[in-house]
């Protein structure tokens, strides 16, 4: 089954404790992206990747890192999480990042205390 | 820059009512337009899309027409069901740019 898999589904952590949210897709997609969803703000793009070893900042990249060492994986890293990073995070992928459909993961609800 | 504006929610309707969710966009050139839907506890999924002016996207009884003259892509459904309760996002993209989402409109349908 074609899918984007994120883990964990829920995460509670404390300020400053490094964490990684994993994202994997099994569709051989070149394009992958991370969004955060906040009430009243909709979805905002954090980082995206057009292909292996190619990553670019989205609209809200501060406090986040990503890597794309393999085509299927695109982890999101919070080196020193802060409470303002409490949010619902989504990973998404598409074939080339053009005008085609985006496939979304089920989301990761992160709470930073 | 490119942007999407959609009507504020929540929208509360009774089953079988007519639905309209307004969406307007700002973009140069010819973007592609999308409606995504997010059911409770799930990620977003594509509902419909249109890639050029006057195209009509449709799926599951929902429709939206790409109107370049009014820069709009309003979502409509003739008769909503309880199972349509979700958050609906209008979005646009142009070649080489990221998908830009509106803030989302929550639809609640009661029986």
């Amino acid at each position: 089954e074609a899918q984007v898999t994120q883990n964990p589904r829920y995460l509670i952590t404390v300020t400053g404790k490094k964490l990684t949210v994993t994202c994997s897709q099994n569709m051989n997609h070149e394009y992958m992206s991370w969004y955060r969803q906040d009430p009243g703000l909709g979805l905002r793009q954090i980082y995206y990747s057009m292909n292996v070893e190619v990553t670019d900042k989205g609209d809200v990249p501060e406090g986040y890192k990503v890597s794309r060492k393999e085509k299927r994986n695109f982890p999101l890293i919070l080196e020193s999480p802060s409470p303002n990073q409490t949010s619902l995070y989504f990973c998404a992928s598409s074939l080339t990042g053009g005008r085609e459909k985006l496939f979304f993961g089920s989301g990761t609800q992160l709470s930073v205390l | 820059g490119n942007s999407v504006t959609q009507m504020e929610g929540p929208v509360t309707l009774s089953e079988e009512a007519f639905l309209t969710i307004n969406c307007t966009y700002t973009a140069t050139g010819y973007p592609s337009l999308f409606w995504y839907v997010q059911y409770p506890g799930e990620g977003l999924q594509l509902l419909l899309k249109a890639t050029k002016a006057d195209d009509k996207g449709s799926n599951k009884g929902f429709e939206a027409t790409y109107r370049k003259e009014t820069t709009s892509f309003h979502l409509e459904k003739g008769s909503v069901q309880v199972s349509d309760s979700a958050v609906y996002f209008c979005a646009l993209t142009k070649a080489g740019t990221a998908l830009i989402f509106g803030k989302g409109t929550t639809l609640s349908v009661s029986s």
Side-chain angles (χ1 to χ4, degrees), chain A residues 9 37 88 90 104-107, chain B residues 37-45:
Chain A
R9 186 78 174 85
Q37 183 179 14
L88 179 58
F90 288 101
F104 281 82
S106 298
Chain B
V37 59
Q38 183 182 28
Y39 297 105
E42 298 183 11
L44 282 72
Q45 53 186 279

Side-chain angles (χ1 to χ4, degrees), chain B residues 52-91:
Chain B
K52 61 183 188 296
D54 300 324
D55 266 3
K56 178 186 281 189
S58 61
N59 186 23
K60 299 181 181 179
F62 291 89
E63 292 183 340
T65 301
Y66 188 143
R67 301 280 189 207
K68 188 157 178 64
E69 64 275 13
T70 54
T71 62
S72 65
F73 192 55
H74 305 321
L75 183 68
E76 296 182 337
K77 187 175 185 183
S79 176
V80 294
Q81 305 300 312
V82 173
S83 57
D84 294 327
S85 298
V87 183
Y88 292 82
F89 291 90
C90 186

Side-chain angles (χ1 to χ4, degrees), chain A residues 9 37 40 45 90 99 102, chain B residues 30 32 34 36 38 41 98 103:
Chain A
R9 186 78 174 85
Q37 183 179 14
Q45 191 179 47
F90 288 101
R99 299 174 186 248
L102 262 183
Chain B
Y30 300 91
S32 293
F34 305 81
Y36 279 81
Q38 183 182 28
K103 293 184 179 180

Side-chain angles (χ1 to χ4, degrees), chain A residues 4 25 27-33 49-50 68 71 92-104, chain B residues 36:
Chain A
V4 177
Q25 50 91 6
M27 296 168 279
N28 202 35
H29 285 170
E30 292 184 354
Y31 179 88
M32 297 186 75
S33 180
S49 169
M50 298 298 287
R68 188 89 182 274
K71 199 170 189 177
S93 73
S94 70
L95 196 57
T96 64
R99 299 174 186 248
E100 71 273 358
K101 171 183 175 180
L102 262 183
F103 291 79
F104 281 82
Chain B
Y36 279 81

